[in-house]
Amino acid sequence: MEIDEILERFHPLPAGSREALKARISEAEYPKGHTLIRSGRVEKTLYFIRSGIVRAYSDADRGDVTFWFGKEGDVVISMKSYVSGQPGYEHVETLEACDLYQMKALDLESLFASDIHIANWGRKLIGQELIKTEERLISMQFKTAQQRYLDLLSSTPDLLHRVPLCHIASYLGITQVSLSRIRAEIR
Amino acid sequence: MEIDEILERFHPLPAGSREALKARISEAEYPKGHTLIRSGRVEKTLYFIRSGIVRAYSDADRGDVTFWFGKEGDVVISMKSYVSGQPGYEHVETLEACDLYQMKALDLESLFASDIHIANWGRKLIGQELIKTEERLISMQFKTAQQRYLDLLSSTPDLLHRVPLCHIASYLGITQVSLSRIRAEIR
DNA sequence: CAAAAAATTTTACAAATGATAAAAAGCGAA
DNA sequence: TTCGCTTTTTATCATTTGTAAAATTTTTTG
């Protein structure tokens, strides 16, 4: 997915503002298994995914728990770092070789301070992430694991071919064994 | 909590921008049990809580499920309406008599378009909501119901005196009976 | 292709949670 | 206070989910 298309996903931008953003964006490739964001740090870079897939996870007693998948067109930010300037709680690693657009958080910050269109674009971007997170939270409270699995199957079927089931299970808030049971039941 | 203090909670504002916001804000009182936001509509008003407590909930098979509590200093918005302009999925009702500051979403929208400080303030506001939502999502995935209850107890102990346990249970993603068991176990 | 490694599924048992019903406790109004 | 109502707790049993270990399948590597 090309950068113009990605930037327009969140909110329309006047050509001048879009060019100002693009002037700060560079490209980078990373292999599978590369860690883009590490917890406990204030992250200084953010990414847009041109191609590939990544996961965000945090450490827990029972190993790491995946709470987000990002794919083509998505933004990769340590939200905590980005919003509050405090060390984040998440790791983000590539699950495939990835082509990314990258940008310094400080560059974006200074564009926010000087360009009102970019400030509003950033507001919309965060807003859309918020809706997605809220909808996931609600689905965790409302729905059974089986329903959540079926939802995932219909909304992003490709995820199941591209990501190991252990990460899918943890994303659904269940164990690998439970997921296996659900899959057997449906078959 | 006074309006200046609430507005400053999210991001510092120059005096002029703060006054521009305050010029669009009025006060209102609502009794306990009043519905501020109804699902299926595009909400045109947003609120800041001066005093009192509210809950957001959605309809499910097994009755309504509470997914957010707001108290003094918090913002009450239908996020879906506000961010995407589409009908929201949540109801918000007062659980106590509430003193609120209220504002038309369109007024805020036009301030976003004309005042860069307010646009960035709005960005920070949404960002902080996102962090809170993300942390709750993670705690739903990582933690047992008992841990979530203990977390709630230590972070907002007053909630338990002000809100019926049926709403607390649904907020924690468990039944009233399970919550009762957890409470008995701890005692 | 065969061996090794990794991922996934299956099994058996234990623990946690849900559903339901009924009892107990708390609370406001007459 | 007592009555009537709501909220909370307790008890029982059924179901779901977790843990641990083994079996199976798939993928990787030589």
Side-chain angles (χ1 to χ4, degrees), chain A residues 43-64:
Chain A
E43 276 302 321
K44 298 187 171 62
T45 308
L46 56 98
Y47 307 88
F48 301 92
I49 304 177
R50 184 178 188 183
S51 72
I53 195 160
V54 307
R55 73 174 182 119
Y57 63 99
S58 275
D59 301 310
D61 312 332
R62 32 169 166 152
D64 56 46

Side-chain angles (χ1 to χ4, degrees), chain A residues 4-18:
Chain A
D4 289 83
E5 189 184 348
I6 294 176
L7 297 179
E8 292 287 330
R9 284 187 70 194
F10 308 107
H11 195 57
L13 275 169
S17 302
R18 192 169 61 244

Side-chain angles (χ1 to χ4, degrees), chain B residues 6 18 126 132-133:
Chain B
I6 294 177
R18 194 169 60 244
I126 298 291
K132 282 193 272 184
T133 307

Side-chain angles (χ1 to χ4, degrees), chain A residues 40-142:
Chain A
R41 296 186 183 183
V42 178
E43 276 302 321
K44 298 187 171 62
T45 308
L46 56 98
Y47 307 88
F48 301 92
I49 304 177
R50 184 178 188 183
S51 72
I53 195 160
V54 307
R55 73 174 182 119
Y57 63 99
S58 275
D59 301 310
D61 312 332
R62 32 169 166 152
D64 56 46
V65 178
T66 299
F67 61 89
W68 180 76
F69 292 110
K71 53 180 209 168
E72 291 79 7
D74 286 331
V75 201
V76 182
I77 320 182
S78 168
M79 286 298 168
K80 184 87 174 179
S81 281
Y82 171 77
V83 168
S84 66
Q86 292 172 355
Y89 42 73
E90 73 264 74
H91 306 269
V92 177
E93 70 168 10
T94 58
L95 297 174
E96 299 174 349
C98 286
D99 277 1
L100 303 177
Y101 299 104
Q102 61 183 15
M103 184 175 192
K104 291 286 160 209
L106 277 179
D107 284 344
L108 184 57
E109 208 58 50
S110 77
L111 288 174
F112 284 151
S114 62
D115 185 324
I116 192 170
H117 300 106
I118 294 178
N120 279 304
W121 172 87
R123 190 171 56 76
K124 289 285 183 177
L125 187 157
I126 297 292
Q128 290 185 25
E129 295 300 319
L130 175 54
I131 294 294
K132 281 192 273 186
T133 307
E134 196 169 88
E135 283 176 345
R136 271 205 63 215
L137 174 62
I138 291 174
S139 93
M140 289 289 290
Q141 280 183 249
F142 278 51

Side-chain angles (χ1 to χ4, degrees), chain B residues 2 16 21 25 35 76 89 91 141 143 160-161 164 179:
Chain B
E2 294 312 301
L21 269 172
I25 293 172
T35 294
V76 182
Y89 41 72
H91 305 270
Q141 280 182 249
K143 298 182 181 176
L160 291 152
H161 304 297
L179 178 55

